Amino acid sequence: MEYILIFISAIFVNNIVLSQFLGICPFLGVSKKVETAMGMGAAVAFVMTLATIVTYLLQIYLLNPNGLQYLQTLAFILVIAALVQMVEIVLKKVSPALYQALGIFLPLITTNCAVLGVAILVIQKDFSLMESVVYAFSTALGFALALIVFAGLREHLELVEVPKGMRGMAIVLVTAGLLSLAFMGFSGVDGGLRILFGLD
């Protein structure tokens, strides 16, 4: 039941983009078309889950036992950058079609602070490895959901007459703010589920 709560909370209640404001650059930059948003969402889901597993193991089995916790941020950044490069190389060799589909999004993930944020959050929340994997995957799904919904809204904005002073990035930021407010409607859902299932 704890995994279901983590899953629901990470996607809707504590959405990484709309509630915690991590990963705003790709959220604004890669959300012009639904197709590209889906590609970016898939790439982030893969890399975020893999990076969380590797950084968790690094923290537990290397940094903590040797008293090197102060190197956490630096070590995690290096691991994420190396993972993205390795994923890119493996995809190029194993599945050229998938590489063509995701290839342009992979370098963007290196600079996506949501990946680093999740890797650090699972350590701060003192999750187990399995909880960390569930949290990372569901957070990536929440990121993809926010990105795809926002891309759909932006595609519809192209079809309407926007006042001259609100055109461009202004209407995009207002739309992002309204989407964030809409997701605030989910706050309290995880607390309600905890009470419902008797976990509190």
Side-chain angles (χ1 to χ4, degrees):
M1 194 51 63
E2 193 66 40
Y3 297 130
I4 294 169
L5 288 172
I6 290 170
F7 185 79
I8 293 169
S9 178
I11 293 175
F12 300 108
V13 182
N14 297 316
N15 188 285
I16 196 83
V17 182
L18 302 172
S19 295
Q20 300 182 47
F21 308 111
L22 292 172
I24 297 291
C25 293
F27 179 70
L28 294 175
V30 194
S31 60
K32 289 180 181 170
K33 298 238 178 279
V34 172
E35 190 180 331
T36 56
M38 288 173 75
M40 183 65 171
V44 165
F46 181 73
V47 171
M48 191 179 281
T49 307
L50 193 62
T52 302
I53 293 167
V54 174
T55 54
Y56 180 88
L57 296 173
L58 180 74
Q59 180 78 32
I60 299 301
Y61 295 108
L62 182 68
L63 299 181
N64 287 352
N66 296 307
L68 299 171
Q69 293 92 336
Y70 60 92
L71 290 174
Q72 182 190 63
T73 306
L74 181 64
F76 284 14
I77 289 170
L78 291 173
V79 165
I80 290 165
L83 271 175
V84 170
Q85 290 302 313
M86 284 195 304
V87 166
E88 201 169 349
I89 291 165
V90 168
L91 277 180
K92 205 172 190 178
K93 297 248 187 226
V94 175
S95 177
L98 186 61
Y99 174 76
Q100 288 298 324
L102 299 179
I104 57 168
F105 304 116
L106 286 170
L108 289 173
I109 297 168
T110 310
T111 58
N112 187 348
C113 59
V115 178
L116 177 62
V118 169
I120 292 172
L121 279 171
V122 295
I123 303 299
Q124 288 177 348
K125 290 175 184 275
D126 204 25
F127 282 158
S128 67
L129 180 59
M130 193 61 200
E131 287 172 335
S132 299
V133 171
V134 170
Y135 180 76
F137 183 70
S138 50
T139 299
L141 286 181
F143 177 84
L145 174 69
L147 200 63
I148 291 164
V149 169
F150 191 56
L153 290 171
R154 285 185 75 175
E155 281 187 1
H156 281 286
L157 280 174
E158 299 288 323
L159 306 173
V160 297
E161 190 65 39
V162 178
K164 194 173 180 183
M166 290 294 291
R167 287 183 191 152
M169 192 50 73
I171 192 67
V172 169
L173 292 173
V174 168
T175 307
L178 291 171
L179 185 59
S180 182
L181 281 171
F183 266 71
M184 281 181 68
F186 292 112
S187 61
V189 168
D190 58 338
L193 287 173
R194 281 184 177 281
I195 293 165
L196 184 68
F197 294 112
L199 294 171
D200 269 349

